[in-house]
């Protein structure tokens, strides 16, 4: 199995960003767009590719994914979903340097200072011989076709550096984990990026309505016990009842009425 290091650059804006959305919401949103992707075999110079989705797919589908352990920074919760759901490829295994760094460092430097788990901060902490750059900041609000050829080339160079830094970081972090743990982490990523569970949506919706009705009925009885005013609306009464139940003293008082 060969190690491939990969990084996607995608469209983002003020109201469309991973800082305000989950990765699942972001990748599955109609606004999602791949600006480009850079990848290369571990230890080798990566290559940047940019084009429409059909082009990106055609490039990625040429790789022998059945024999690839793909590595990325935030691969476990971002790039993996792009690979499977957007591009339609399924690697043999996944590795994530962000995941390993969080496990080893807990967002702290060796001397106990707080540190970001971002690739740039970790590269500096581990003394990697390369600056990450800031081209991604200038890409905000830009669709792929909004870039000039010069800007797109600069963005590709930035992405290539990310791939090189990620590969170096993987070589520093992964030897500190047993292979069994790395493949366990890969399995968890597969459960996220390649889900096999199919839910019965109509049944779940019906159960949700039933559970909401049962909850309202039970909370109504508790509201009577706690003396929550009956002049309130149902929603207000439920809110104040739950607020009272969060009080240890009030909850204990209610339990003593039942000899608990």
């Amino acid at each position: 199995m060969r190690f491939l290091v990969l990084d996607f650059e995608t469209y983002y804006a003020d109201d469309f960003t991973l800082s305000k959305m989950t990765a699942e919401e972001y990748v599955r949103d109609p606004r999602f767009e791949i600006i480009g992707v850079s990848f290369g075999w571990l230890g080798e110079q990566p290559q940047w590719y940019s084009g429409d989705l059909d082009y990106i797919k055609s490039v990625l589908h040429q790789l022998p994914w059945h024999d690839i352990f793909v590595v990325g920074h935030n691969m476990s919760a971002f790039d993996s979903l792009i690979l499977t759901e957007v591009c339609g490829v399924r690697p043999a295994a996944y590795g994530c340097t962000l995941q390993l760094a969080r496990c080893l460092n807990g967002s702290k430097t060796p001397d106990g200072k707080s540190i970001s788990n971002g690739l740039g901060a970790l590269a500096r902490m581990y003394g990697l011989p390369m600056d990450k750059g800031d081209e991604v900041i200038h890409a905000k609000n830009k669709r792929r076709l909004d870039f000039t050829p010069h800007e797109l080339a600069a963005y590709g160079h930035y992405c290539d550096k990310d791939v090189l830094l990620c590969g170096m970081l993987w070589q520093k972090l992964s030897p500190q984990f047993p292979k069994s743990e790395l493949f366990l982490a890969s399995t968890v990523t597969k459960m996220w990026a390649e889900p096999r569970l199919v839910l019965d949506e109509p049944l779940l919706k019906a159960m949700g309505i039933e559970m909401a009705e049962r909850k309202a009925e039970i909370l109504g009885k508790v509201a009577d016990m706690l003396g929550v005013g009956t002049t309130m609306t149902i929603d207000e009464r439920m809110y104040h009842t739950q607020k009272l139940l969060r009080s240890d003293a009030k909850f204990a008082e209610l339990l003593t009425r039942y000899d608990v």
Side-chain angles (χ1 to χ4, degrees):
M1 190 177 298
R2 299 187 67 184
F3 286 86
L4 183 82
V5 190
L6 175 145
D7 183 44
F8 283 104
E9 298 300 342
T10 60
Y11 165 75
Y12 77 104
D14 292 320
D15 60 342
F16 182 62
T17 169
L18 287 170
S19 64
K20 296 181 180 179
M21 307 169 72
T22 66
E24 183 178 9
E25 291 170 335
Y26 178 85
V27 173
R28 290 176 175 164
D29 192 284
R31 292 170 288 181
F32 179 81
E33 180 187 29
I34 297 172
I35 305 298
V37 60
S38 179
F39 57 83
W41 302 113
L42 184 63
E44 297 181 10
Q45 180 64 34
Q47 177 69 45
W48 162 257
Y49 300 89
S50 181
D52 61 20
L53 183 56
D54 286 340
Y55 171 72
I56 296 296
K57 284 183 176 180
S58 70
V59 170
L60 291 174
H61 277 266
Q62 295 176 32
L63 297 171
W65 291 102
H66 67 282
D67 193 39
I68 286 177
F69 192 122
V70 64
V71 174
H73 197 68
N74 204 15
M75 176 63 67
S76 62
F78 180 61
D79 300 270
S80 57
L81 192 64
I82 301 176
L83 282 172
T84 59
E85 289 216 359
V86 180
C87 299
V89 297
R90 285 165 172 73
Y94 301 88
C96 179
T97 48
L98 175 58
Q99 187 183 59
L100 300 190
R102 282 176 172 163
C103 181
L104 289 172
N105 306 317
S107 300
K108 297 287 184 181
T109 61
D111 58 0
K113 295 179 181 178
S114 295
I115 184 174
S116 162
N117 280 309
L119 183 57
L122 290 169
R124 289 189 294 273
M125 187 176 88
Y126 283 94
L128 301 183
M130 192 180 299
D131 177 58
K132 176 176 165 58
D134 62 357
E135 283 81 0
V136 69
I137 297 173
H138 308 301
K140 188 176 183 179
N141 297 314
K142 283 189 175 184
R143 293 285 182 181
R144 181 176 60 84
L145 295 179
D146 294 330
F147 288 82
T148 66
H150 175 74
E151 290 172 335
L152 200 58
Y155 205 16
H157 181 60
Y158 165 87
C159 192
D160 286 345
K161 285 195 294 183
D162 272 8
V163 171
L164 287 171
L165 285 171
C166 181
M168 294 176 196
L169 194 58
W170 176 263
Q171 289 174 314
K172 282 186 175 289
L173 301 183
S174 61
Q176 302 181 57
F177 291 83
K179 288 184 179 180
S180 59
E181 289 192 17
L182 294 177
F183 277 94
L184 178 60
S186 170
T187 299
V188 173
T189 300
K190 279 192 175 187
M191 292 169 68
W192 144 254
E194 305 176 29
R196 293 290 185 268
L197 184 64
V198 179
L199 303 179
D200 187 330
E201 189 173 349
L203 177 61
L204 290 175
K205 285 182 177 179
M207 289 176 66
I209 293 171
E210 181 185 349
M211 290 177 67
E213 291 173 347
R214 287 175 58 199
K215 180 179 178 181
E217 181 184 352
I218 293 170
L219 282 176
K221 293 177 180 177
V222 176
D224 293 338
M225 296 176 191
L226 294 174
V228 178
T230 56
T231 57
M232 298 178 180
T233 65
I234 294 176
D235 288 342
E236 288 177 331
R237 200 166 188 237
M238 296 304 99
Y239 169 76
H240 286 286
T241 300
Q242 292 180 88
K243 189 175 180 180
L244 284 171
L245 287 174
R246 293 190 188 103
S247 163
D248 290 345
K250 286 287 184 182
F251 187 56
E253 178 188 332
L254 185 62
L255 290 178
T256 57
R257 299 185 193 182
Y258 292 89
D259 299 323
V260 177

